[in-house]
Amino acid sequence: MRVTFIHADGKGRTEAEANPGESLLDVAQAHLMPLEGTCEGQMACSTCHVIVAKEDFGRLPPASDMEEDMLDLAAGVRRTSRLSCQIVLTEELDGLTVHIPAESRNMQAPR
């Protein structure tokens, strides 16, 4: 299945192959997207915040109350914001497009 990441500058894009059952955060990190995921997917931070394309947002299951609380801490939140650690990819999500927020900073990125 395919996932498209729109880079923080809004211009670049990365097409990624993914497998059902993988988290969007793991796929993003494997393709060097600047999503820190400091809590390693434990939903204890908001450093994996992404903005899901409007046309794809309705295909996702609803965010939990805990995820909504964590999104309150994220910079640049939009109506279609989600934590990528909470998006488990399924065949139904093939073709998903997400935007990396302009405010995204990966402090753990290799130099």
Side-chain angles (χ1 to χ4, degrees):
M1 62 182 297
R2 184 168 297 282
V3 176
T4 301
F5 296 96
I6 307 297
H7 299 188
D9 65 6
K11 298 174 186 169
R13 51 191 301 129
T14 297
E15 301 283 336
E17 289 294 324
N19 297 308
E22 289 184 290
S23 79
L24 184 60
L25 174 60
D26 289 342
V27 173
Q29 289 178 334
H31 289 84
L32 306 177
M33 295 295 101
L35 297 178
E36 211 171 306
T38 303
C39 73
E40 298 180 357
Q42 299 301 308
M43 207 170 17
C45 71
S46 59
T47 61
C48 69
H49 164 230
V50 294
I51 302 165
V52 178
K54 290 176 188 173
E55 60 272 13
D56 291 334
F57 190 73
R59 296 196 287 154
L60 297 174
S64 68
D65 289 341
M66 191 171 168
E67 182 179 356
E68 293 285 353
D69 290 345
M70 291 282 52
L71 284 167
D72 287 342
L73 304 174
V77 172
R78 307 288 190 286
R79 188 183 62 75
T80 61
S81 289
R82 292 294 299 268
L83 298 180
S84 62
C85 70
Q86 297 303 299
I87 298 174
V88 177
L89 297 171
T90 63
E91 292 291 341
E92 292 77 26
L93 295 176
D94 186 29
L96 182 71
T97 298
V98 296
H99 299 257
I100 305 298
E103 299 84 0
S104 185
R105 300 288 181 267
N106 185 353
M107 304 307 284
Q108 297 178 350
R111 297 189 188 267

